[in-house]
Amino acid sequence: MGPATDKEFVPSRYVSLSHQADGALVLHCARTGAIGTVEGELAADARRALLPDTVSRRDDSPVVSDLIDGGFLVPRGVDERALVTHQYAGRYVDNSLHLIVMPTEQCNFRCVYCYEEFKRPRMKPEVVEGIKNLVDGDDDLDFLALSWFGGEPLLASDIVLDVTGHLRRSCEAKGAGFTALATTNGSLLTPAYADQVIPAGLSQFQITLDGLAHEHDARRVGALGETAFHTIWRNLLYLRSTDHDFTVMIRHNFDPESHARFPDFLAELEREFGADERFSMELSAIGKWGGPNDDNLHVFEGRDASRAVLHNKWLALKAGFPDAISQQKMQPNGAVCYAANPHSFVVGPNGDLHKCTVELDYHDRNIVGSIHRDGSLTLGWQKMALWCETDGSSWDAPTKCTTCYFNPSCHGAVCPKEWMDEPECACPNAKQSIGETLTLIREESLYSRIR
Ligand code: SF4
Ligand code: SF4
C-alpha cells in the first residue's frame, strides 16, 4: 500500500450495504454512525466506489464526495482500527454519569418472565443522601442520565420525586445536561403523581404492555393475583390528555403465541396513541431471562427472535410508532451495554454499586463497590474492568469481532455478561438482520417526511 494521502480514498472496513428493490442503496458506516440512501443512477457510482481495493478521488463524482464526508470512504493508508480503539477509550475521559437507581427491590407485579428476587425494601436514607452528594459535589459533571429501576420504582414514589427534583436542580446550577427515565409497570403512575413528577424533571417513561387486557394480565400478574391492565391504560390516556412535556416508550414483550395477536393489540394502540408523537414503541421477544419460571416459557430461539422483532417493527411503523432504538444502536458505541460504560452504575437500595441490571447481586463479580453518605464511591477496579474491558476486537487473540464491520457500534460488548458466561456473545439484533434494519430505517425516514 502506498503512503497515506488525503487525495486518494478507499472503502472503509466498517461499511454495510442494503440493496433495495427499487435500485437504491442504503449505507451504514459504524465508525461514524452515518446512514444514507443513494438513489437512481448515483447508486451505481456508489457501488463502484465501495468495491474492495477501489481508489477514488473527491472530484470523481458528487456521490464520492458524499461518501468521503460520511466516512464510507477513508484516506488511503489511514489506520481505521486505531481510530476506533481511540474512540472507545474515550469513554474513560468523558464527564458524564449514568445512574440506574433502585429505590426499592419490591414490586407489586410478579411477571412470568421476571428474574428478580425482591429482596430489599426502600432505599436507605444515607444512600439517598449519598446520591445527592455525589452529583452536587461533581463540579466537572457535563451530563447526568438518571434511570429509575426496580422492583417497581414508583412503590417508592416519594424518593423518586425528591431525588429527581434535587438532581435536576443540581445539574441546572452547574450547567450540566440532565435526563431522567423511569422503567415502570405504569400502575402507580396516577394522574396526580404524573402532575407532580413530570414538572420535577422525570419526563421519560418506559412502560410495558404485553398485549390487550387478557394477554397482558396473564403475563404481568399482580403480586396478589390482581389485574392491572385497565389501570395502566387509564394512566396512559391521562398522560395523552395533558400538555406535559414527556415521552412514553411502550415496551411490548411477546412470545410465539402473543406474536400472532400483535396486530390486534397494535390496532388499539394506534387508535389511542398513534397520532401523538410523545408515544413510541419498543419490541422485544421474551427470552429465558433467568427467572424461576424459565423452563415453562415458550420463546423464540436464535434468529427467529430478531426476525419476529423486525416484522413487528414494520407493523408498528405503519401504525405511527417509529423505532428510535435501531438508529441509536447503529451509532459509534451505540450497541454497547451500559454495563460496559465506566461511568454507569446501578445503585441498590443498600448502597451497593452494580454494573449489570440482570445479574444484580446474584454474582459477586457484579458487586463492584458502594456509595457512601458523603457521595464518595469505593470501587473495585478489577471487577470494573471485567465489565468495562469487554472488547472482542483483540488482534492478539482474534475472535469473530476482530474483523467485524459492526465493531465500532458494538465492540463485542452488547452483553458483557454473556461475553463472560458463554463461549461466544450473540451479535445485536441490528447486526444480525442488517439488511432489513437498514431497509426499515429508510422506510422510517420516508415515513417521517410524509407524516
Ligand atoms: S458481537 Fe457481533 S456485532 Fe458485535 S462486534 Fe462481535 S461480531 Fe460484531
Ligand atoms: S450485561 Fe447483558 S444482561 Fe447485563 S444489563 Fe447488559 S445486556 Fe443486560
Side-chain angles (χ1 to χ4, degrees), residues 17-28 34-41 43 47 310 313-314 317 322-323 326-327 330 433-451:
L17 310 174
S18 172
H19 302 274
Q20 304 285 291
D22 63 357
L25 194 61
V26 188
L27 307 152
H28 169 237
I35 299 174
T37 304
V38 191
E39 296 181 6
E41 289 175 11
R47 276 192 195 93
L310 267 166
K313 281 185 177 177
W314 275 106
L317 174 62
D323 165 41
S326 291
Q327 295 212 35
M330 318 262 304
S433 309
I434 189 73
E436 294 95 325
T437 302
L438 289 173
T439 303
L440 184 69
I441 288 172
R442 180 191 186 205
E443 289 293 321
E444 275 177 5
S445 68
L446 296 175
Y447 174 85
S448 58
R449 267 186 249 153
I450 55 175
R451 199 177 179 199

mmCIF file of all heavy atoms in Angstrom, residues 17-28 34-41 43 47 310 313-314 317 322-323 326-327 330 433-451:
data_model
loop_
_atom_site.group_PDB
_atom_site.id
_atom_site.type_symbol
_atom_site.label_atom_id
_atom_site.label_comp_id
_atom_site.label_asym_id
_atom_site.label_seq_id
_atom_site.Cartn_x
_atom_site.Cartn_y
_atom_site.Cartn_z
ATOM 1 N N LEU A 17 -24.072 -2.503 3.579
ATOM 2 C CA LEU A 17 -24.923 -2.042 2.472
ATOM 3 C C LEU A 17 -26.219 -2.834 2.446
ATOM 4 O O LEU A 17 -26.221 -4.021 2.770
ATOM 5 C CB LEU A 17 -24.254 -2.300 1.118
ATOM 6 C CG LEU A 17 -22.820 -1.865 0.889
ATOM 7 C CD1 LEU A 17 -22.365 -2.360 -0.472
ATOM 8 C CD2 LEU A 17 -22.761 -0.356 0.938
ATOM 9 N N SER A 18 -27.286 -2.177 2.037
ATOM 10 C CA SER A 18 -28.524 -2.919 1.779
ATOM 11 C C SER A 18 -29.040 -2.504 0.402
ATOM 12 O O SER A 18 -29.313 -1.322 0.160
ATOM 13 C CB SER A 18 -29.560 -2.596 2.865
ATOM 14 O OG SER A 18 -30.794 -3.161 2.525
ATOM 15 N N HIS A 19 -29.148 -3.487 -0.501
ATOM 16 C CA HIS A 19 -29.617 -3.216 -1.865
ATOM 17 C C HIS A 19 -31.138 -3.250 -1.857
ATOM 18 O O HIS A 19 -31.733 -4.256 -1.467
ATOM 19 C CB HIS A 19 -29.061 -4.268 -2.834
ATOM 20 C CG HIS A 19 -27.557 -4.307 -2.825
ATOM 21 N ND1 HIS A 19 -26.789 -3.482 -3.611
ATOM 22 C CD2 HIS A 19 -26.691 -5.032 -2.090
ATOM 23 C CE1 HIS A 19 -25.507 -3.715 -3.378
ATOM 24 N NE2 HIS A 19 -25.422 -4.652 -2.454
ATOM 25 N N GLN A 20 -31.756 -2.179 -2.286
ATOM 26 C CA GLN A 20 -33.209 -2.054 -2.210
ATOM 27 C C GLN A 20 -33.876 -2.506 -3.517
ATOM 28 O O GLN A 20 -33.264 -2.447 -4.595
ATOM 29 C CB GLN A 20 -33.587 -0.595 -1.937
ATOM 30 C CG GLN A 20 -32.932 -0.030 -0.683
ATOM 31 C CD GLN A 20 -33.564 -0.547 0.591
ATOM 32 O OE1 GLN A 20 -34.692 -0.217 0.905
ATOM 33 N NE2 GLN A 20 -32.830 -1.384 1.314
ATOM 34 N N ALA A 21 -35.142 -2.882 -3.418
ATOM 35 C CA ALA A 21 -35.861 -3.405 -4.594
ATOM 36 C C ALA A 21 -35.944 -2.357 -5.705
ATOM 37 O O ALA A 21 -35.963 -2.694 -6.893
ATOM 38 C CB ALA A 21 -37.256 -3.848 -4.173
ATOM 39 N N ASP A 22 -35.957 -1.068 -5.355
ATOM 40 C CA ASP A 22 -36.072 -0.027 -6.390
ATOM 41 C C ASP A 22 -34.711 0.422 -6.918
ATOM 42 O O ASP A 22 -34.616 1.442 -7.607
ATOM 43 C CB ASP A 22 -36.846 1.173 -5.832
ATOM 44 C CG ASP A 22 -36.124 1.843 -4.670
ATOM 45 O OD1 ASP A 22 -35.050 1.337 -4.271
ATOM 46 O OD2 ASP A 22 -36.630 2.862 -4.164
ATOM 47 N N GLY A 23 -33.645 -0.323 -6.583
ATOM 48 C CA GLY A 23 -32.316 0.007 -7.096
ATOM 49 C C GLY A 23 -31.514 0.912 -6.174
ATOM 50 O O GLY A 23 -30.318 1.117 -6.380
ATOM 51 N N ALA A 24 -32.147 1.475 -5.155
ATOM 52 C CA ALA A 24 -31.421 2.355 -4.226
ATOM 53 C C ALA A 24 -30.486 1.531 -3.341
ATOM 54 O O ALA A 24 -30.610 0.300 -3.249
ATOM 55 C CB ALA A 24 -32.408 3.133 -3.369
ATOM 56 N N LEU A 25 -29.569 2.248 -2.722
ATOM 57 C CA LEU A 25 -28.591 1.614 -1.841
ATOM 58 C C LEU A 25 -28.674 2.332 -0.488
ATOM 59 O O LEU A 25 -28.609 3.564 -0.435
ATOM 60 C CB LEU A 25 -27.204 1.836 -2.456
ATOM 61 C CG LEU A 25 -26.027 1.038 -1.966
ATOM 62 C CD1 LEU A 25 -26.254 -0.462 -2.204
ATOM 63 C CD2 LEU A 25 -24.771 1.506 -2.694
ATOM 64 N N VAL A 26 -28.863 1.554 0.588
ATOM 65 C CA VAL A 26 -28.804 2.164 1.932
ATOM 66 C C VAL A 26 -27.477 1.751 2.545
ATOM 67 O O VAL A 26 -27.082 0.587 2.490
ATOM 68 C CB VAL A 26 -29.971 1.709 2.833
ATOM 69 C CG1 VAL A 26 -29.977 2.513 4.130
ATOM 70 C CG2 VAL A 26 -31.300 1.869 2.126
ATOM 71 N N LEU A 27 -26.780 2.739 3.119
ATOM 72 C CA LEU A 27 -25.416 2.536 3.604
ATOM 73 C C LEU A 27 -25.319 2.889 5.072
ATOM 74 O O LEU A 27 -25.955 3.837 5.538
ATOM 75 C CB LEU A 27 -24.465 3.494 2.874
ATOM 76 C CG LEU A 27 -24.469 3.502 1.376
ATOM 77 C CD1 LEU A 27 -24.063 4.875 0.871
ATOM 78 C CD2 LEU A 27 -23.484 2.479 0.916
ATOM 79 N N HIS A 28 -24.455 2.149 5.785
ATOM 80 C CA HIS A 28 -24.176 2.491 7.177
ATOM 81 C C HIS A 28 -22.677 2.396 7.396
ATOM 82 O O HIS A 28 -22.034 1.440 6.954
ATOM 83 C CB HIS A 28 -24.901 1.502 8.104
ATOM 84 C CG HIS A 28 -24.485 1.599 9.544
ATOM 85 N ND1 HIS A 28 -23.992 0.523 10.251
ATOM 86 C CD2 HIS A 28 -24.487 2.644 10.406
ATOM 87 C CE1 HIS A 28 -23.720 0.903 11.497
ATOM 88 N NE2 HIS A 28 -24.007 2.185 11.610
ATOM 89 N N ALA A 34 -22.847 7.280 10.327
ATOM 90 C CA ALA A 34 -23.597 7.847 9.194
ATOM 91 C C ALA A 34 -24.463 6.766 8.540
ATOM 92 O O ALA A 34 -24.032 5.630 8.367
ATOM 93 C CB ALA A 34 -22.622 8.420 8.169
ATOM 94 N N ILE A 35 -25.701 7.150 8.229
ATOM 95 C CA ILE A 35 -26.607 6.272 7.482
ATOM 96 C C ILE A 35 -27.151 7.099 6.327
ATOM 97 O O ILE A 35 -27.599 8.232 6.533
ATOM 98 C CB ILE A 35 -27.780 5.786 8.368
ATOM 99 C CG1 ILE A 35 -27.249 4.992 9.563
ATOM 100 C CG2 ILE A 35 -28.741 4.912 7.555
ATOM 101 C CD1 ILE A 35 -28.302 4.592 10.564
ATOM 102 N N GLY A 36 -27.093 6.573 5.122
ATOM 103 C CA GLY A 36 -27.581 7.356 3.993
ATOM 104 C C GLY A 36 -28.182 6.472 2.922
ATOM 105 O O GLY A 36 -27.939 5.265 2.887
ATOM 106 N N THR A 37 -28.984 7.100 2.077
ATOM 107 C CA THR A 37 -29.572 6.388 0.945
ATOM 108 C C THR A 37 -29.075 7.034 -0.340
ATOM 109 O O THR A 37 -29.074 8.269 -0.445
ATOM 110 C CB THR A 37 -31.110 6.478 0.991
ATOM 111 O OG1 THR A 37 -31.547 5.976 2.238
ATOM 112 C CG2 THR A 37 -31.749 5.654 -0.127
ATOM 113 N N VAL A 38 -28.634 6.234 -1.283
ATOM 114 C CA VAL A 38 -28.237 6.742 -2.601
ATOM 115 C C VAL A 38 -29.222 6.158 -3.604
ATOM 116 O O VAL A 38 -29.419 4.941 -3.648
ATOM 117 C CB VAL A 38 -26.797 6.311 -2.966
ATOM 118 C CG1 VAL A 38 -26.339 7.081 -4.189
ATOM 119 C CG2 VAL A 38 -25.851 6.549 -1.813
ATOM 120 N N GLU A 39 -29.848 7.042 -4.374
ATOM 121 C CA GLU A 39 -30.925 6.571 -5.247
ATOM 122 C C GLU A 39 -30.562 6.720 -6.723
ATOM 123 O O GLU A 39 -29.618 7.429 -7.082
ATOM 124 C CB GLU A 39 -32.198 7.352 -4.928
ATOM 125 C CG GLU A 39 -32.657 7.050 -3.502
ATOM 126 C CD GLU A 39 -33.930 7.756 -3.103
ATOM 127 O OE1 GLU A 39 -34.545 8.402 -3.959
ATOM 128 O OE2 GLU A 39 -34.280 7.652 -1.924
ATOM 129 N N GLY A 40 -31.333 6.041 -7.550
ATOM 130 C CA GLY A 40 -31.219 6.201 -9.001
ATOM 131 C C GLY A 40 -29.840 5.823 -9.521
ATOM 132 O O GLY A 40 -29.198 4.893 -9.026
ATOM 133 N N GLU A 41 -29.375 6.590 -10.525
ATOM 134 C CA GLU A 41 -28.109 6.242 -11.181
ATOM 135 C C GLU A 41 -26.915 6.421 -10.245
ATOM 136 O O GLU A 41 -25.868 5.786 -10.412
ATOM 137 C CB GLU A 41 -27.923 7.110 -12.420
ATOM 138 C CG GLU A 41 -28.898 6.729 -13.529
ATOM 139 C CD GLU A 41 -28.800 7.675 -14.710
ATOM 140 O OE1 GLU A 41 -27.854 8.478 -14.745
ATOM 141 O OE2 GLU A 41 -29.689 7.589 -15.580
ATOM 142 N N ALA A 43 -26.614 5.387 -7.378
ATOM 143 C CA ALA A 43 -26.369 4.154 -6.616
ATOM 144 C C ALA A 43 -25.293 3.312 -7.286
ATOM 145 O O ALA A 43 -24.462 2.681 -6.610
ATOM 146 C CB ALA A 43 -27.668 3.362 -6.462
ATOM 147 N N ARG A 47 -21.858 2.049 -5.581
ATOM 148 C CA ARG A 47 -21.469 0.627 -5.535
ATOM 149 C C ARG A 47 -20.040 0.449 -6.056
ATOM 150 O O ARG A 47 -19.240 -0.262 -5.471
ATOM 151 C CB ARG A 47 -22.419 -0.213 -6.402
ATOM 152 C CG ARG A 47 -23.677 -0.610 -5.680
ATOM 153 C CD ARG A 47 -24.457 -1.669 -6.462
ATOM 154 N NE ARG A 47 -25.793 -1.721 -5.904
ATOM 155 C CZ ARG A 47 -26.830 -1.032 -6.353
ATOM 156 N NH1 ARG A 47 -26.698 -0.250 -7.402
ATOM 157 N NH2 ARG A 47 -28.006 -1.097 -5.751
ATOM 158 N N LEU A 310 -38.256 -7.639 13.990
ATOM 159 C CA LEU A 310 -38.273 -6.774 12.809
ATOM 160 C C LEU A 310 -39.650 -6.746 12.148
ATOM 161 O O LEU A 310 -40.132 -5.684 11.740
ATOM 162 C CB LEU A 310 -37.244 -7.253 11.802
ATOM 163 C CG LEU A 310 -35.885 -6.585 11.912
ATOM 164 C CD1 LEU A 310 -34.855 -7.348 11.125
ATOM 165 C CD2 LEU A 310 -35.956 -5.136 11.428
ATOM 166 N N LYS A 313 -41.768 -4.547 14.105
ATOM 167 C CA LYS A 313 -41.371 -3.137 13.946
ATOM 168 C C LYS A 313 -41.972 -2.542 12.673
ATOM 169 O O LYS A 313 -42.364 -1.384 12.640
ATOM 170 C CB LYS A 313 -39.840 -3.025 13.901
ATOM 171 C CG LYS A 313 -39.207 -3.106 15.268
ATOM 172 C CD LYS A 313 -37.720 -2.867 15.184
ATOM 173 C CE LYS A 313 -37.121 -2.870 16.585
ATOM 174 N NZ LYS A 313 -35.677 -2.708 16.578
ATOM 175 N N TRP A 314 -42.016 -3.353 11.612
ATOM 176 C CA TRP A 314 -42.645 -2.873 10.371
ATOM 177 C C TRP A 314 -44.096 -2.501 10.632
ATOM 178 O O TRP A 314 -44.570 -1.445 10.212
ATOM 179 C CB TRP A 314 -42.617 -3.978 9.310
ATOM 180 C CG TRP A 314 -41.357 -4.049 8.531
ATOM 181 C CD1 TRP A 314 -40.386 -4.982 8.647
ATOM 182 C CD2 TRP A 314 -40.925 -3.132 7.527
ATOM 183 N NE1 TRP A 314 -39.369 -4.720 7.767
ATOM 184 C CE2 TRP A 314 -39.669 -3.593 7.069
ATOM 185 C CE3 TRP A 314 -41.455 -1.968 6.975
ATOM 186 C CZ2 TRP A 314 -38.952 -2.936 6.087
ATOM 187 C CZ3 TRP A 314 -40.738 -1.320 5.989
ATOM 188 C CH2 TRP A 314 -39.511 -1.804 5.563
ATOM 189 N N LEU A 317 -44.345 0.641 12.697
ATOM 190 C CA LEU A 317 -44.022 1.843 11.920
ATOM 191 C C LEU A 317 -45.240 2.303 11.129
ATOM 192 O O LEU A 317 -45.584 3.489 11.122
ATOM 193 C CB LEU A 317 -42.858 1.528 10.980
ATOM 194 C CG LEU A 317 -42.480 2.619 9.980
ATOM 195 C CD1 LEU A 317 -42.028 3.865 10.714
ATOM 196 C CD2 LEU A 317 -41.375 2.129 9.046
ATOM 197 N N PRO A 322 -42.624 4.989 15.045
ATOM 198 C CA PRO A 322 -41.272 4.772 14.515
ATOM 199 C C PRO A 322 -40.371 4.162 15.584
ATOM 200 O O PRO A 322 -40.630 4.290 16.774
ATOM 201 C CB PRO A 322 -40.793 6.173 14.143
ATOM 202 C CG PRO A 322 -42.002 7.016 14.135
ATOM 203 C CD PRO A 322 -42.994 6.399 15.055
ATOM 204 N N ASP A 323 -39.311 3.534 15.128
ATOM 205 C CA ASP A 323 -38.400 2.826 16.015
ATOM 206 C C ASP A 323 -37.139 3.652 16.184
ATOM 207 O O ASP A 323 -36.308 3.708 15.289
ATOM 208 C CB ASP A 323 -38.086 1.459 15.391
ATOM 209 C CG ASP A 323 -36.887 0.810 16.031
ATOM 210 O OD1 ASP A 323 -36.764 0.889 17.252
ATOM 211 O OD2 ASP A 323 -36.076 0.229 15.293
ATOM 212 N N SER A 326 -33.287 1.414 16.939
ATOM 213 C CA SER A 326 -32.367 0.826 15.963
ATOM 214 C C SER A 326 -31.319 1.841 15.528
ATOM 215 O O SER A 326 -30.142 1.519 15.417
ATOM 216 C CB SER A 326 -33.122 0.327 14.729
ATOM 217 O OG SER A 326 -33.899 -0.771 15.059
ATOM 218 N N GLN A 327 -31.755 3.073 15.268
ATOM 219 C CA GLN A 327 -30.789 4.082 14.802
ATOM 220 C C GLN A 327 -29.758 4.390 15.879
ATOM 221 O O GLN A 327 -28.590 4.577 15.584
ATOM 222 C CB GLN A 327 -31.509 5.358 14.384
ATOM 223 C CG GLN A 327 -32.385 5.130 13.185
ATOM 224 C CD GLN A 327 -32.478 6.379 12.309
ATOM 225 O OE1 GLN A 327 -31.529 7.120 12.173
ATOM 226 N NE2 GLN A 327 -33.640 6.580 11.713
ATOM 227 N N MET A 330 -26.942 1.950 16.014
ATOM 228 C CA MET A 330 -26.002 1.951 14.893
ATOM 229 C C MET A 330 -24.954 3.057 15.027
ATOM 230 O O MET A 330 -24.082 3.195 14.186
ATOM 231 C CB MET A 330 -26.751 2.145 13.578
ATOM 232 C CG MET A 330 -28.009 1.370 13.488
ATOM 233 S SD MET A 330 -28.027 -0.155 12.643
ATOM 234 C CE MET A 330 -27.475 0.105 11.062
ATOM 235 N N SER A 433 -29.657 -8.782 11.482
ATOM 236 C CA SER A 433 -30.541 -8.566 10.336
ATOM 237 C C SER A 433 -30.218 -7.215 9.724
ATOM 238 O O SER A 433 -31.089 -6.360 9.576
ATOM 239 C CB SER A 433 -32.003 -8.589 10.789
ATOM 240 O OG SER A 433 -32.265 -9.736 11.551
ATOM 241 N N ILE A 434 -28.953 -7.015 9.385
ATOM 242 C CA ILE A 434 -28.513 -5.668 8.992
ATOM 243 C C ILE A 434 -29.256 -5.165 7.754
ATOM 244 O O ILE A 434 -29.638 -3.984 7.686
ATOM 245 C CB ILE A 434 -26.974 -5.610 8.802
ATOM 246 C CG1 ILE A 434 -26.494 -4.176 8.616
ATOM 247 C CG2 ILE A 434 -26.507 -6.480 7.659
ATOM 248 C CD1 ILE A 434 -26.522 -3.354 9.837
ATOM 249 N N GLY A 435 -29.498 -6.055 6.772
ATOM 250 C CA GLY A 435 -30.186 -5.617 5.550
ATOM 251 C C GLY A 435 -31.581 -5.103 5.872
ATOM 252 O O GLY A 435 -31.971 -4.002 5.459
ATOM 253 N N GLU A 436 -32.321 -5.892 6.641
ATOM 254 C CA GLU A 436 -33.697 -5.496 6.994
ATOM 255 C C GLU A 436 -33.692 -4.250 7.877
ATOM 256 O O GLU A 436 -34.551 -3.383 7.756
ATOM 257 C CB GLU A 436 -34.413 -6.633 7.732
ATOM 258 C CG GLU A 436 -34.654 -7.868 6.891
ATOM 259 C CD GLU A 436 -33.552 -8.908 7.076
ATOM 260 O OE1 GLU A 436 -32.380 -8.517 7.253
ATOM 261 O OE2 GLU A 436 -33.860 -10.104 7.031
ATOM 262 N N THR A 437 -32.701 -4.157 8.783
ATOM 263 C CA THR A 437 -32.640 -2.990 9.663
ATOM 264 C C THR A 437 -32.447 -1.716 8.845
ATOM 265 O O THR A 437 -33.125 -0.698 9.074
ATOM 266 C CB THR A 437 -31.486 -3.141 10.678
ATOM 267 O OG1 THR A 437 -31.687 -4.340 11.422
ATOM 268 C CG2 THR A 437 -31.427 -1.954 11.626
ATOM 269 N N LEU A 438 -31.535 -1.768 7.865
ATOM 270 C CA LEU A 438 -31.300 -0.569 7.046
ATOM 271 C C LEU A 438 -32.531 -0.234 6.199
ATOM 272 O O LEU A 438 -32.866 0.939 6.006
ATOM 273 C CB LEU A 438 -30.067 -0.774 6.155
ATOM 274 C CG LEU A 438 -28.731 -0.777 6.907
ATOM 275 C CD1 LEU A 438 -27.581 -1.153 5.984
ATOM 276 C CD2 LEU A 438 -28.466 0.579 7.550
ATOM 277 N N THR A 439 -33.204 -1.267 5.704
ATOM 278 C CA THR A 439 -34.427 -1.013 4.935
ATOM 279 C C THR A 439 -35.486 -0.344 5.818
ATOM 280 O O THR A 439 -36.159 0.609 5.415
ATOM 281 C CB THR A 439 -34.977 -2.343 4.364
ATOM 282 O OG1 THR A 439 -33.954 -2.948 3.577
ATOM 283 C CG2 THR A 439 -36.198 -2.114 3.500
ATOM 284 N N LEU A 440 -35.594 -0.830 7.044
ATOM 285 C CA LEU A 440 -36.567 -0.254 7.984
ATOM 286 C C LEU A 440 -36.238 1.217 8.274
ATOM 287 O O LEU A 440 -37.117 2.079 8.289
ATOM 288 C CB LEU A 440 -36.555 -1.067 9.275
ATOM 289 C CG LEU A 440 -37.572 -0.675 10.344
ATOM 290 C CD1 LEU A 440 -38.981 -1.022 9.892
ATOM 291 C CD2 LEU A 440 -37.284 -1.386 11.663
ATOM 292 N N ILE A 441 -34.968 1.506 8.466
ATOM 293 C CA ILE A 441 -34.561 2.890 8.750
ATOM 294 C C ILE A 441 -34.890 3.786 7.557
ATOM 295 O O ILE A 441 -35.355 4.915 7.708
ATOM 296 C CB ILE A 441 -33.064 2.947 9.111
ATOM 297 C CG1 ILE A 441 -32.865 2.332 10.501
ATOM 298 C CG2 ILE A 441 -32.529 4.364 9.073
ATOM 299 C CD1 ILE A 441 -31.418 2.144 10.909
ATOM 300 N N ARG A 442 -34.672 3.268 6.343
ATOM 301 C CA ARG A 442 -35.021 4.063 5.154
ATOM 302 C C ARG A 442 -36.522 4.339 5.130
ATOM 303 O O ARG A 442 -36.956 5.455 4.888
ATOM 304 C CB ARG A 442 -34.606 3.313 3.887
ATOM 305 C CG ARG A 442 -34.941 4.109 2.643
ATOM 306 C CD ARG A 442 -34.792 3.281 1.393
ATOM 307 N NE ARG A 442 -34.975 4.085 0.206
ATOM 308 C CZ ARG A 442 -35.371 3.587 -0.956
ATOM 309 N NH1 ARG A 442 -35.598 2.289 -1.092
ATOM 310 N NH2 ARG A 442 -35.537 4.375 -1.996
ATOM 311 N N GLU A 443 -37.307 3.310 5.389
ATOM 312 C CA GLU A 443 -38.765 3.479 5.387
ATOM 313 C C GLU A 443 -39.177 4.516 6.424
ATOM 314 O O GLU A 443 -40.070 5.319 6.206
ATOM 315 C CB GLU A 443 -39.455 2.151 5.703
ATOM 316 C CG GLU A 443 -39.376 1.139 4.600
ATOM 317 C CD GLU A 443 -40.168 1.561 3.365
ATOM 318 O OE1 GLU A 443 -41.255 2.113 3.523
ATOM 319 O OE2 GLU A 443 -39.663 1.345 2.250
ATOM 320 N N GLU A 444 -38.507 4.473 7.586
ATOM 321 C CA GLU A 444 -38.851 5.429 8.647
ATOM 322 C C GLU A 444 -38.592 6.847 8.211
ATOM 323 O O GLU A 444 -39.373 7.755 8.487
ATOM 324 C CB GLU A 444 -38.031 5.129 9.902
ATOM 325 C CG GLU A 444 -38.673 4.070 10.737
ATOM 326 C CD GLU A 444 -37.825 3.718 11.936
ATOM 327 O OE1 GLU A 444 -36.793 4.365 12.162
ATOM 328 O OE2 GLU A 444 -38.208 2.779 12.608
ATOM 329 N N SER A 445 -37.471 7.066 7.517
ATOM 330 C CA SER A 445 -37.172 8.436 7.110
ATOM 331 C C SER A 445 -38.167 8.883 6.049
ATOM 332 O O SER A 445 -38.603 10.035 6.042
ATOM 333 C CB SER A 445 -35.733 8.569 6.634
ATOM 334 O OG SER A 445 -35.564 7.870 5.449
ATOM 335 N N LEU A 446 -38.589 7.976 5.163
ATOM 336 C CA LEU A 446 -39.614 8.344 4.179
ATOM 337 C C LEU A 446 -40.912 8.658 4.902
ATOM 338 O O LEU A 446 -41.606 9.626 4.627
ATOM 339 C CB LEU A 446 -39.851 7.189 3.198
ATOM 340 C CG LEU A 446 -38.673 6.809 2.305
ATOM 341 C CD1 LEU A 446 -39.009 5.575 1.488
ATOM 342 C CD2 LEU A 446 -38.306 7.961 1.389
ATOM 343 N N TYR A 447 -41.195 7.802 5.911
ATOM 344 C CA TYR A 447 -42.443 7.936 6.647
ATOM 345 C C TYR A 447 -42.502 9.264 7.386
ATOM 346 O O TYR A 447 -43.491 9.977 7.367
ATOM 347 C CB TYR A 447 -42.543 6.767 7.627
ATOM 348 C CG TYR A 447 -43.709 6.843 8.549
ATOM 349 C CD1 TYR A 447 -44.951 6.372 8.154
ATOM 350 C CD2 TYR A 447 -43.565 7.399 9.815
ATOM 351 C CE1 TYR A 447 -46.029 6.455 9.009
ATOM 352 C CE2 TYR A 447 -44.637 7.482 10.668
ATOM 353 C CZ TYR A 447 -45.859 7.014 10.279
ATOM 354 O OH TYR A 447 -46.920 7.100 11.113
ATOM 355 N N SER A 448 -41.365 9.641 8.053
ATOM 356 C CA SER A 448 -41.408 10.870 8.836
ATOM 357 C C SER A 448 -41.515 12.087 7.923
ATOM 358 O O SER A 448 -42.007 13.125 8.319
ATOM 359 C CB SER A 448 -40.222 10.977 9.773
ATOM 360 O OG SER A 448 -39.053 10.914 9.045
ATOM 361 N N ARG A 449 -41.092 11.939 6.650
ATOM 362 C CA ARG A 449 -41.226 13.070 5.739
ATOM 363 C C ARG A 449 -42.689 13.284 5.322
ATOM 364 O O ARG A 449 -43.105 14.394 5.071
ATOM 365 C CB ARG A 449 -40.378 12.822 4.481
ATOM 366 C CG ARG A 449 -38.989 13.407 4.592
ATOM 367 C CD ARG A 449 -38.268 13.254 3.285
ATOM 368 N NE ARG A 449 -37.191 12.295 3.400
ATOM 369 C CZ ARG A 449 -36.724 11.569 2.401
ATOM 370 N NH1 ARG A 449 -37.223 11.686 1.202
ATOM 371 N NH2 ARG A 449 -35.742 10.739 2.591
ATOM 372 N N ILE A 450 -43.451 12.198 5.262
ATOM 373 C CA ILE A 450 -44.824 12.363 4.774
ATOM 374 C C ILE A 450 -45.840 12.430 5.912
ATOM 375 O O ILE A 450 -46.996 12.708 5.694
ATOM 376 C CB ILE A 450 -45.241 11.200 3.834
ATOM 377 C CG1 ILE A 450 -45.046 9.860 4.537
ATOM 378 C CG2 ILE A 450 -44.482 11.233 2.533
ATOM 379 C CD1 ILE A 450 -45.527 8.664 3.737
ATOM 380 N N ARG A 451 -45.391 12.183 7.136
ATOM 381 C CA ARG A 451 -46.334 12.098 8.244
ATOM 382 C C ARG A 451 -46.968 13.457 8.555
ATOM 383 O O ARG A 451 -46.314 14.466 8.539
ATOM 384 C CB ARG A 451 -45.618 11.593 9.484
ATOM 385 C CG ARG A 451 -46.576 11.067 10.502
ATOM 386 C CD ARG A 451 -45.825 10.513 11.679
ATOM 387 N NE ARG A 451 -46.799 10.034 12.655
ATOM 388 C CZ ARG A 451 -46.535 9.826 13.913
ATOM 389 N NH1 ARG A 451 -45.353 10.047 14.376
ATOM 390 N NH2 ARG A 451 -47.461 9.382 14.730
#
